[in-house]
Amino acid sequence: MINALKLFLVISIQIAVAGCASVSASEEEMYEKASALTKLTGMVEVIVVYSDESSRLSDAELLEEATAHDPTVLDQFENYDLRASQADGHAVVTMCDANGSEALLQDLGCTAGLDTHYWITELQEPCATEQVNAPTCR
Protein backbone atom coordinates (compact mmCIF):
# COMPACT_ATOMS: atom_id res chain seq x y z
CA MET A 1 0.00 0.00 0.00
CA ILE A 2 2.77 2.43 0.90
CA ASN A 3 4.71 1.55 -2.28
CA ALA A 4 1.62 2.23 -4.41
CA LEU A 5 1.15 5.59 -2.68
CA LYS A 6 4.81 6.49 -3.26
CA LEU A 7 4.53 5.50 -6.93
CA PHE A 8 1.38 7.59 -7.33
CA LEU A 9 3.09 10.57 -5.67
CA VAL A 10 6.18 10.28 -7.90
CA ILE A 11 4.09 10.03 -11.07
CA SER A 12 1.93 12.99 -10.01
CA ILE A 13 5.00 15.14 -9.37
CA GLN A 14 6.52 14.20 -12.74
CA ILE A 15 3.31 15.11 -14.57
CA ALA A 16 3.09 18.44 -12.73
CA VAL A 17 6.73 19.29 -13.46
CA ALA A 18 6.39 18.33 -17.12
CA GLY A 19 3.28 20.49 -17.45
CA CYS A 20 4.99 23.51 -15.90
CA ALA A 21 8.06 23.02 -18.07
CA SER A 22 6.05 23.11 -21.28
CA VAL A 23 4.32 26.36 -20.30
CA SER A 24 7.64 27.95 -19.35
CA ALA A 25 9.23 26.86 -22.62
CA SER A 26 6.45 28.54 -24.57
CA GLU A 27 6.76 31.74 -22.55
CA GLU A 28 10.53 31.61 -22.85
CA GLU A 29 10.26 31.24 -26.63
CA MET A 30 7.92 34.22 -26.90
CA TYR A 31 10.19 36.42 -24.79
CA GLU A 32 13.17 35.39 -26.93
CA LYS A 33 11.16 36.27 -30.05
CA ALA A 34 10.24 39.61 -28.46
CA SER A 35 13.90 40.41 -27.91
CA ALA A 36 14.78 39.41 -31.48
CA LEU A 37 11.83 41.44 -32.81
CA THR A 38 13.00 44.64 -31.12
CA LYS A 39 16.40 44.23 -32.80
CA LEU A 40 14.75 43.61 -36.17
CA THR A 41 12.46 46.61 -35.69
CA GLY A 42 15.50 48.77 -35.03
CA MET A 43 16.93 47.65 -38.38
CA VAL A 44 13.66 48.45 -40.16
CA GLU A 45 13.51 51.82 -38.34
CA VAL A 46 16.85 52.79 -39.90
CA ILE A 47 15.47 52.14 -43.39
CA VAL A 48 12.20 53.97 -42.69
CA VAL A 49 13.87 57.04 -41.20
CA TYR A 50 16.94 57.34 -43.42
CA SER A 51 15.89 55.99 -46.82
CA ASP A 52 14.08 58.31 -49.20
CA GLU A 53 12.55 55.31 -50.99
CA SER A 54 11.20 53.50 -47.91
CA SER A 55 7.63 54.71 -48.50
CA ARG A 56 7.54 52.76 -51.77
CA LEU A 57 8.71 49.46 -50.23
CA SER A 58 6.35 46.58 -49.47
CA ASP A 59 6.44 44.63 -46.17
CA ALA A 60 8.77 42.02 -47.64
CA GLU A 61 10.99 44.65 -49.28
CA LEU A 62 11.31 46.59 -46.01
CA LEU A 63 12.40 43.45 -44.20
CA GLU A 64 14.76 42.48 -47.03
CA GLU A 65 16.35 45.93 -47.18
CA ALA A 66 16.70 46.13 -43.39
CA THR A 67 18.42 42.74 -43.16
CA ALA A 68 20.47 42.94 -46.36
CA HIS A 69 23.69 43.07 -44.33
CA ASP A 70 22.67 39.95 -42.34
CA PRO A 71 19.71 37.98 -43.75
CA THR A 72 20.15 35.31 -41.06
CA VAL A 73 18.35 37.67 -38.65
CA LEU A 74 15.11 36.51 -40.26
CA ASP A 75 15.90 32.85 -39.53
CA GLN A 76 14.65 33.34 -35.97
CA PHE A 77 11.17 33.97 -37.38
CA GLU A 78 10.97 31.17 -39.96
CA ASN A 79 7.86 29.63 -38.38
CA TYR A 80 6.07 32.97 -38.12
CA ASP A 81 4.60 35.55 -40.48
CA LEU A 82 6.34 38.93 -40.22
CA ARG A 83 4.75 42.17 -41.33
CA ALA A 84 6.60 45.47 -41.57
CA SER A 85 5.29 48.90 -42.44
CA GLN A 86 5.48 52.56 -41.48
CA ALA A 87 3.33 54.74 -39.25
CA ASP A 88 4.04 58.42 -38.61
CA GLY A 89 7.53 58.08 -40.09
CA HIS A 90 8.51 55.12 -37.91
CA ALA A 91 8.72 51.36 -38.36
CA VAL A 92 6.01 48.98 -37.20
CA VAL A 93 6.84 45.27 -37.17
CA THR A 94 4.29 42.62 -36.24
CA MET A 95 5.04 38.95 -35.66
CA CYS A 96 2.04 36.74 -36.37
CA ASP A 97 1.31 33.04 -36.21
CA ALA A 98 2.50 30.86 -39.08
CA ASN A 99 -0.63 31.29 -41.21
CA GLY A 100 -0.78 35.07 -40.68
CA SER A 101 -4.16 35.15 -39.01
CA GLU A 102 -3.30 36.22 -35.45
CA ALA A 103 -0.86 38.86 -34.17
CA LEU A 104 1.49 37.65 -31.43
CA LEU A 105 3.95 40.55 -30.96
CA GLN A 106 4.11 44.12 -32.25
CA ASP A 107 6.93 46.62 -32.01
CA LEU A 108 7.27 50.28 -32.92
CA GLY A 109 10.66 51.53 -33.99
CA CYS A 110 10.43 54.70 -31.93
CA THR A 111 10.26 52.99 -28.51
CA ALA A 112 12.97 51.12 -26.65
CA GLY A 113 11.05 48.02 -25.59
CA LEU A 114 8.58 45.75 -27.30
CA ASP A 115 5.24 47.53 -27.40
CA THR A 116 2.53 44.87 -27.48
CA HIS A 117 2.50 41.24 -26.34
CA TYR A 118 -0.71 40.06 -28.01
CA TRP A 119 0.05 36.42 -27.20
CA ILE A 120 -0.58 37.09 -23.49
CA THR A 121 -4.06 38.51 -23.99
CA GLU A 122 -7.18 36.41 -24.42
CA LEU A 123 -8.29 38.47 -27.41
CA GLN A 124 -7.15 37.31 -30.82
CA GLU A 125 -5.89 40.33 -32.71
CA PRO A 126 -5.68 40.23 -36.50
CA CYS A 127 -2.25 40.21 -38.07
CA ALA A 128 -1.86 43.79 -39.26
CA THR A 129 0.79 46.47 -39.03
CA GLU A 130 -1.80 49.18 -39.52
CA GLN A 131 -3.28 48.44 -36.11
CA VAL A 132 -0.94 50.13 -33.65
CA ASN A 133 -2.01 49.70 -30.02
CA ALA A 134 1.05 51.27 -28.44
CA PRO A 135 1.60 54.92 -27.56
CA THR A 136 1.99 57.02 -30.68
CA CYS A 137 5.53 58.05 -31.53
CA ARG A 138 6.03 61.78 -31.24
Side-chain angles (χ1 to χ4, degrees), residues 1-14:
M1 176 72 172
I2 291 178
N3 286 338
L5 186 57
K6 285 181 182 178
L7 181 62
F8 175 75
L9 183 60
V10 168
I11 291 172
S12 297
I13 290 172
Q14 288 177 339

Side-chain angles (χ1 to χ4, degrees), residues 36-51:
L37 192 68
T38 58
K39 293 173 186 169
L40 175 60
T41 304
M43 296 173 182
V44 176
E45 178 78 356
V46 169
I47 301 302
V48 169
V49 172
Y50 297 108
S51 173

Side-chain angles (χ1 to χ4, degrees), residues 41-118:
T41 304
M43 296 173 182
V44 176
E45 178 78 356
V46 169
I47 301 302
V48 169
V49 172
Y50 297 108
S51 173
D52 294 334
E53 298 183 20
S54 66
S55 62
R56 293 188 287 262
L57 299 176
S58 68
D59 284 17
E61 291 170 332
L62 265 174
L63 291 169
E64 184 180 328
E65 184 74 23
T67 60
H69 68 287
D70 186 8
T72 62
V73 171
L74 297 175
D75 292 348
Q76 298 174 70
F77 305 101
E78 68 182 350
N79 295 323
Y80 298 93
D81 182 15
L82 283 179
R83 311 273 175 101
S85 69
Q86 305 176 53
D88 297 325
H90 292 282
V92 178
V93 181
T94 305
M95 185 185 91
C96 304
D97 61 0
N99 59 10
S101 61
E102 182 182 351
L104 300 173
L105 300 168
Q106 187 172 71
D107 192 34
L108 303 176
C110 63
T111 61
L114 189 97
D115 296 287
T116 310
H117 288 264
Y118 290 118

